[in-house]
């Protein structure tokens, strides 16, 4: 297992657990919680793949469905003790967000689209799963009102752009992009940075 | 008209009527009720076809759009007398669920995907239309909280798997799968079987 | 810039502003408002393109993303003064609806589908963005309850059908179709025409 795969599993786990926990707050049953967790984990990438005319990534590799089942088991087994792990999950979630953004950008460029489309697709890959989660549990999307979230993906996209123009390629480019998304999230939550609200 | 087509029309009718009735409880107008009914009937199969990179099935055959118009006419004409037919609609819905699951599994296998993807796609074909219906009428998805519903499709998928390993093919395989979905639904509703709820 | 492009920008602007204003009523932040505005503007056409197995149109031309940013700037700058422009936006919205319907019909016919599919796709192109907007802001879809809206697109589709059978082609066919959608909307709002509600 490569480091990349390990990080992807951590991110999938964090996304799935966030969906399962919110579903449980709505008193969904185990199956409903699994569906919400799975949608949170794979929803953004699925939307991206459909728009790129590709087969959704999770249909080619059972890992994501299995990791979501594992996430359900964790929430069932640990229940309210999970609250103590909130900081851990926040870090996992930020790491997942950074990685998913990089995957989204690179897959879009590989499909032949320009960079501005890739930045949008990176943001969709990272953030749309959470929006679909909130639609399923019938709540207003959280990421449109709380600390900067999807904008961290856009920021990562801009960093990718600058790094690429500066001649940075390969692993260094990936790490710089993901790290800037993760850093943006940590800074945003630490200082409670929010965007202005329209009136 | 084959038996298969007849069953498919019955199932489409039951799904469309369920959508139209819930839309009318929200005081949607006729057009809104038609859209909700149509989405309930074709939403699961459309999601499946998009993920399989196929043209949505209802765009190749006007039957589904016409049956939904017929369903709207029934609800307008019969109104509250429909309540007396609730048991009939429950049976139609269960039959539709069984058939849609079989169609979803077989279409996915025909597209070259492994069986675990086919089981998920069978479940999406059967159950996702009801989730889309509940999103449109702005309610929490009913199937994530009431008696076992989507899990009946998964159960059908497992029966398909076992039957196929046992060498059963063709019509017998289809009937066994659909019958197990229908039986699971009847048993679930009769004994009010629900999955545990997360806390 | 052709007249066609100019009208398309006006329509996109009107759709985006309608999304941004409703998002602001929900106290979404600037990013959330942008996403809701963009989804309102491009959601219908995106759904159509996915079902026609085409690349979503806005991924091939940055105009739509830029116009939405412009719409956000307008709402931020003008704020409550926009209320005075409600009649202007109503006209823009009606023009956009007419144009989007024509684009949807022609793109579907060009993809080789029959006219009844094209009429549905024209309606989806015009009206589905507003439904997706209402799903994102967690409200029941407005167009299923207020004055005739999506039905104006269907009416435009029928006019297209009749005109084509009468041998009308090209620009005259496009103008007749769009004008009939726009006229239907103006008449519907002026006389508060609503469809019956189911009980």
């Amino acid at each position: 297992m490569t480091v990349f795969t390990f990080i992807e599993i951590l991110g999938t786990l964090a996304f799935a657990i966030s969906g399962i926990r919110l579903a449980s707050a709505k008193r969904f049953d185990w199956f409903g919680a699994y569906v919400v967790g799975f949608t949170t984990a794979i929803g953004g990438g699925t939307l991206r793949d459909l728009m790129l005319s590709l087969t959704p990534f999770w249909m080619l590799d059972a890992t994501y469905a299995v990791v979501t089942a594992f996430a359900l088991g964790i929430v069932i087994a640990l229940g309210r003790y999970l609250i103590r792990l909130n900081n851990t999950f926040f870090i996992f979630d930020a790491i997942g967000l950074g990685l998913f953004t990089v995957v989204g950008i690179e897959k879009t460029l590989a499909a032949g689209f320009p960079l501005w489309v890739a930045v949008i697709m990176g943001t969709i890959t990272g953030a749309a799963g959470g929006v679909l989660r909130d639609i399923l549990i019938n709540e207003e999307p959280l990421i449109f009102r709380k600390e900067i979230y999807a904008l961290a993906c856009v920021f990562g996209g801009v960093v990718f752009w600058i790094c690429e123009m500066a001649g940075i390629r390969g692993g260094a480019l990936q790490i710089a992009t993901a790290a800037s998304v993760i850093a943006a999230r940590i800074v945003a939550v630490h200082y409670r940075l929010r965007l202005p609200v329209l009136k």
Side-chain angles (χ1 to χ4, degrees), chain A residues 12-13 15 23 46 58-59 65 73-74 77 79 83 95 106-107 109 126 128 140 146-147 150 161 170 183 194 197:
Chain A
T12 302
L13 196 66
F15 275 46
T46 300
W58 59 268
M59 292 166 63
I74 289 174
I83 293 167
I95 292 171
E106 298 207 320
K107 219 168 167 182
L109 293 176
E140 288 169 22
K146 68 167 188 177
E147 293 91 0
W161 199 330
R194 290 162 192 251
V197 167

Side-chain angles (χ1 to χ4, degrees), chain A residues 17-29:
Chain A
I17 287 177
S18 98
I20 292 166
R21 291 176 75 183
L22 286 169
S24 76
K26 288 273 180 168
R27 304 195 60 76
F28 282 17
D29 65 31

Side-chain angles (χ1 to χ4, degrees), chain A residues 19-38 68 72-73 75-76 136-137:
Chain A
I20 292 166
R21 291 176 75 183
L22 286 169
S24 76
K26 288 273 180 168
R27 304 195 60 76
F28 282 17
D29 65 31
W30 289 7
F31 189 89
Y34 182 89
V35 171
V36 176
F38 194 54
T68 303
L72 181 62
V75 178
I76 292 171
L136 277 178
I137 63 171

Side-chain angles (χ1 to χ4, degrees), chain A residues 136-158:
Chain A
L136 277 178
I137 63 171
N138 201 23
E139 292 286 337
E140 288 169 22
L142 195 61
I143 68 161
F144 295 158
R145 298 204 294 186
K146 68 167 188 177
E147 293 91 0
I148 282 166
Y149 191 90
L151 204 61
C153 303
V154 177
F155 175 67
V158 172

Side-chain angles (χ1 to χ4, degrees), chain A residues 25 61 75 83 87 113 125 131 192-193:
Chain A
D61 180 352
V75 178
I83 293 167
N87 287 331
F113 288 93
T125 308
V131 175
R192 304 196 175 216
L193 298 184

